[in-house]
Amino acid sequence: SKLKEGLEKTRKGITDKIDDLFTRYGEIDDDLFEELEEILITADVGMQTTMKLIDMLKEELRIRKIKEVSAVKDVFKDVVEKLLVENGHTTFEVGNEPTIIMVIGVNGVGKTTSIGKIANLLKAQGKSVLIAAGDTFRAAAIDQLKVWGDRVGVSVIHQSEGSDPAAVIFDAVQSAKAKNADVLICDTAGRLHNKVNLMNELSKVFRVIDREYPEAKKEVLLVLDATTGQNAVQQAKVFNEAAEISGIVLTKLDGTAKGGVVLAISSELQIPVKLIGVGEGVDDLQQFNPHDFAEALMG
Ligand code: GDP
C-alpha cells in the first residue's frame, strides 16, 4: 500500500530494528525494554511518549500473561494503536453545513500543497470549494496557490502581495456566502520567527470569520512537516497557544525515518492527526487511521 511505502524509511528505523531485537533476545527482560526504548527515541517518538509506550507494553504483557519474546511485537502493535485511539482519534470529514477550514503552519511545511490536495479531495466528494490566499506576505505563496487552484479546478480568492490578510479572508467569506460554497479553505501566513505578530494576525483572521460567518462550521488544521521530527512537536505547542487546533496534517511522511513523531504529537498534545501527506502529487494525501498506521509501521 501507499501508506506502507510512504512509511518505508520509518519502518526501516523501527520495524527492522525491533525484529532484530526480538530475534536476539531469548526472554523478556529489562535490557530488551531498554533497547526498545532507544529504537523509539531514534525514530522521534520522543522521551515522554516512549516511556508511556513502554509502560503500556509492560502492563499489557502482564495482563495477557505473555512470556515469549516472539509474541511481544503483536502486543506492541496493539499498544501503538491504543495510544493513538486513547488520545482522541477522529477522521477528517466535512458535513453538509458550510465549512471554513483554516490552514495554519510554518512556511515550508507543505501548507500550499496540502490545501491543494484537500481541495481536490473535497471536490471529489462533490463539494463546491473555494480557496482564500490569506498568506499575503509571500507573492510566491499566492502564485503557488493559484497553480494548485488551476490544477484541481478551484477558484482562489486573492489580493496583491502585502495586502491585509483579514481583508482577503473577509472577501473570501463574502464570496463563499454569495456562491453558497460548501467549503472555504483559508491559507494563512506562517512566519513563526515573529510569534506575537503571527498570533495577532491569526486571531484577527479568526475574528473576521466568526463575525462574518458565525453559522459556518470551523475546522483549524495545523500542517506539520514529519521530517522535522521533534521540531514539529514544538511547533504544534506554539500554535496550540494561538488557535484551537481541530486536527493535524502531517506532511512528508514518505521521505522520513521520523514517522514516530505521529505518536509524540498524539500523546503530548491530544490533537488528532487527521491527514497525512505521503508524496508531492495531488492524490498523495490520506486519512490517518491508527490501525493502518500501527500495521504499516510494525509490519
Ligand atoms: P508551504 O511553504 O508550507 O506552503 O509548502 P509547500 O506546499 O510549498 O511545500 C514545500 C515542499 O514540500 C514542496 O516541494 C512540496 O512538493 C513538498 N511537499 C509537500 N507535501 C509533501 C509530502 O507529503 N511529501 C513530499 N515528499 N513532499 C511534500
Side-chain angles (χ1 to χ4, degrees):
S1 72
K2 186 94 193 184
L3 177 61
K4 215 161 170 173
E5 272 169 40
L7 284 172
E8 197 51 46
K9 283 196 184 152
T10 297
R11 279 163 53 76
K12 285 215 158 58
I14 297 186
T15 324
D16 293 2
K17 285 189 201 159
I18 287 178
D19 280 345
D20 172 63
L21 178 69
F22 294 149
T23 49
R24 277 188 291 110
Y25 278 82
E27 58 184 315
I28 303 171
D29 61 17
D30 283 345
D31 287 348
L32 184 145
F33 289 121
E34 243 169 65
E35 275 202 54
L36 180 59
E37 208 176 290
E38 229 177 274
I39 293 169
L40 295 173
I41 288 169
T42 313
D44 271 80
V45 173
M47 181 66 88
Q48 194 183 322
T49 309
T50 295
M51 293 313 192
K52 189 162 184 199
L53 278 170
I54 302 268
D55 283 347
M56 285 169 78
L57 176 63
K58 284 180 179 169
E59 175 73 1
E60 203 59 37
L61 291 171
R62 194 184 57 76
I63 292 168
R64 297 196 207 175
K65 296 190 174 66
I66 286 169
K67 299 273 183 285
E68 319 78 51
V69 175
S70 61
V72 178
K73 188 176 157 181
D74 275 340
V75 178
F76 189 58
K77 210 190 287 185
D78 291 347
V79 164
V80 164
E81 184 179 338
K82 191 173 164 196
L83 178 93
L84 292 167
V85 173
E86 261 181 16
N87 287 308
H89 174 70
T90 45
T91 50
F92 173 72
E93 249 169 301
V94 168
N96 290 326
E97 64 275 57
T99 302
I100 298 186
I101 303 175
M102 296 286 300
V103 183
I104 62 177
V106 174
N107 293 340
V109 293
K111 230 172 344 140
T112 312
T113 308
S114 298
I115 289 171
K117 289 170 175 177
I118 291 168
N120 185 60
L121 181 103
L122 294 171
K123 257 200 93 182
Q125 293 172 5
K127 307 271 184 211
S128 58
V129 182
L130 279 179
I131 293 174
D135 182 1
T136 58
F137 193 74
R138 301 182 297 166
I142 302 172
D143 291 342
Q144 268 305 106
L145 216 47
K146 284 197 261 180
V147 170
W148 271 104
D150 287 342
R151 190 176 296 164
V152 303
V154 168
S155 301
V156 177
I157 313 292
H158 59 91
Q159 291 178 11
S160 54
E161 183 188 355
S163 50
D164 182 2
V168 178
I169 300 302
F170 179 90
D171 267 5
V173 169
Q174 306 313 325
S175 192
K177 286 202 280 195
K179 290 181 178 154
N180 257 327
D182 295 316
V183 189
L184 170 64
I185 309 174
C186 303
D187 191 12
T188 59
R191 287 155 289 138
L192 197 55
H193 62 267
N194 195 334
K195 195 174 136 184
V196 177
N197 274 1
L198 179 67
M199 306 248 176
N200 286 343
E201 192 173 308
L202 283 179
S203 58
K204 198 172 157 194
V205 165
F206 281 115
R207 277 201 305 274
V208 167
I209 291 173
D210 281 337
R211 191 185 62 220
E212 297 303 318
Y213 212 167
E215 63 272 38
K217 194 180 162 244
K218 308 322 179 276
E219 170 109 47
V220 181
L221 296 178
L222 171 65
V223 183
L224 297 172
D225 176 345
T227 65
T228 64
Q230 288 298 304
N231 258 333
V233 182
Q234 286 314 311
Q235 283 172 20
K237 285 180 181 167
V238 173
F239 276 99
N240 205 23
E241 291 168 24
E244 216 168 293
I245 303 163
S246 59
I248 283 164
V249 182
L250 191 64
T251 63
K252 309 183 200 178
L253 258 182
D254 49 306
T256 182
K258 299 172 192 276
V261 73
V262 170
L263 298 168
I265 291 168
S266 163
S267 167
E268 288 183 39
L269 291 140
Q270 276 100 47
I271 302 169
V273 174
K274 287 192 174 177
L275 295 163
I276 52 175
V278 292
E280 300 191 83
V282 65
D283 293 320
D284 295 329
L285 185 77
Q286 299 183 349
Q287 292 278 359
F288 179 73
N289 175 299
H291 179 74
D292 292 350
F293 181 79
E295 282 290 333
L297 200 61
M298 300 295 163

